[in-house]
Amino acid sequence: MNKKTLLKVVLALVLATSAYFAYRTFYQPNTQDGVKELQLIIEVQEEDGSMKTIFDQRVETETEILADFLLEMDKGDELQIGLTGNVSDPYGRSLTSINGYETTDWASGPWWLYDSENNIECKEAEFCPGIDSCPIYDEDIFVFSYTSTIE
């Protein structure tokens, strides 16, 4: 390999590495370190269309991202969480089940949806990002709904 070709390869690697770290720096959510207290509400849609609350608790965590919090709840045996996909997928992983309520038909539902009226990221975007990119902050309230109705 001649010197010019080697130089081009090294330069390409340096540029690619720089671009990667710039992307990670500018497009990562701002997170909050330390202990946070969240309220987690989980609802399931009944056959008559009404929503039944199956979980409503305030929980302390040191995790910074919503998916990590859910997995922490799963490890603690408080909830059984099912995820599909990979963190590296364009939108991250998808929530498929909580406590046996499972999405089996992605075309017609029911699906797991979530929202927060006070999470900074959700409020600014007017919707919550994927669970792998949603930062959590002290006093956040998240409502997860298992429903066939998209509002």
Side-chain angles (χ1 to χ4, degrees), residues 43 45 49-51 111-115 117 126-128 143 145-151:
E43 307 172 326
Q45 188 174 35
S50 65
M51 297 302 283
W111 312 273
W112 278 104
L113 307 174
Y114 80 94
D115 196 13
E117 291 184 4
E126 297 182 5
F127 66 91
C128 290
V143 178
S145 303
Y146 185 67
T147 180
S148 294
T149 306
I150 299 176
E151 297 175 6

Side-chain angles (χ1 to χ4, degrees), residues 22-36:
Y23 172 80
R24 298 284 297 189
T25 300
F26 292 113
Y27 293 104
Q28 289 300 313
N30 293 324
T31 58
Q32 180 182 26
D33 293 338
V35 176
K36 296 165 276 299

Side-chain angles (χ1 to χ4, degrees), residues 9 12 16-17 19 23 27 33 46 48 50 70 76-77 89 94 97 101 108 117 133 138-139 148-149:
V9 169
T17 304
Y23 172 80
Y27 293 104
D33 293 338
E46 301 278 45
D48 66 0
S50 65
L70 292 173
D77 293 328
D89 290 347
S94 296
S97 67
Y101 293 95
S108 62
E117 291 184 4
S133 58
D138 192 37
E139 299 299 321
S148 294
T149 306

Side-chain angles (χ1 to χ4, degrees), residues 71 74 80-84 94-99 102 112 131:
L71 293 175
D74 181 72
Q80 291 77 47
I81 303 294
L83 302 174
T84 187
S94 296
L95 178 63
T96 57
S97 67
I98 298 178
N99 287 4
E102 183 174 6
W112 278 104
I131 59 172

Side-chain angles (χ1 to χ4, degrees), residues 10-23:
V10 170
L11 183 58
L13 288 173
V14 168
L15 287 174
T17 304
S18 298
Y20 171 76
F21 284 111
Y23 172 80

Side-chain angles (χ1 to χ4, degrees), residues 23-74:
Y23 172 80
R24 298 284 297 189
T25 300
F26 292 113
Y27 293 104
Q28 289 300 313
N30 293 324
T31 58
Q32 180 182 26
D33 293 338
V35 176
K36 296 165 276 299
E37 184 176 76
L38 310 177
Q39 182 172 2
L40 179 62
I41 301 168
I42 301 173
E43 307 172 326
V44 295
Q45 188 174 35
E46 301 278 45
E47 287 188 26
D48 66 0
S50 65
M51 297 302 283
K52 173 183 169 186
T53 301
I54 63 168
F55 187 91
D56 185 352
Q57 289 185 17
R58 296 190 68 77
V59 181
E60 286 189 351
T61 184
E62 289 190 32
T63 60
E64 298 177 3
I65 300 293
L66 187 56
D68 297 334
F69 170 69
L70 292 173
L71 293 175
E72 178 180 77
M73 296 292 289
D74 181 72

